[in-house]
Amino acid sequence: MRLEVTRKAGLAVRALAALAPPGNRVKAGELALALDTTPGFVPQVVGPLVKAGWVRSIPGPTGGYALTEEAVGRSVLDVVEAIDGPTDTGRCVLEGHPCGAAGTPCALHAAWADARAALTTMLAATCAVPPSAGTHAGRPGAATPAHQSA
């Protein structure tokens, strides 16, 4: 049994931290070094973050990637799901199809559902980009959410 975040999702969480604070531009090569990955893999990691509106891609020789204010307060769960898709697909961990499709849930169903709920709750409560990374952080009345919706 393996409960782990994919390499790509882990790199995406680290990329958001490496790009902080919002507006700070980082070239793809520099980001690859910070993430200890290849420059060719950076667009695959950052692409879904750009699509989500959390990172801006700046083309050209002076370009790079920049974190947006939308990324501030996003949870690790948000990032994992942006990269890998939904964490709860309804598939049985033993059978590979929807659990209980034959009428009775598998022997691990209740325990796995409880473990998944605990893990996703913790990941949802963990900020990938803490509010202190935002340009408005520390200002009286500034929001400090653990999670912001899109």
Side-chain angles (χ1 to χ4, degrees), residues 29-142:
E30 294 171 27
L31 188 56
L33 284 174
L35 300 177
D36 194 26
T37 192
T38 63
F41 196 53
V42 169
Q44 294 177 49
V45 171
V46 180
L49 305 176
V50 170
K51 184 177 179 183
W54 306 332
V55 172
R56 189 167 47 99
S57 176
I58 306 154
T62 61
Y65 296 102
L67 196 66
T68 68
E69 286 287 339
E70 278 292 312
V72 177
R74 290 289 170 183
S75 73
V76 171
L77 182 62
D78 289 336
V79 179
V80 168
E81 290 190 334
I83 299 296
D84 295 332
T87 54
D88 185 0
T89 62
R91 296 184 68 77
C92 178
V93 296
L94 293 179
E95 303 294 327
H97 53 73
C99 200
T104 306
C106 74
L108 292 179
H109 182 80
W112 196 261
D114 289 348
R116 182 189 310 115
L119 179 59
T120 56
T121 297
M122 291 298 294
L123 293 177
T126 304
C127 281
V129 182
S132 61
T135 57
H136 302 296
R139 191 183 73 213

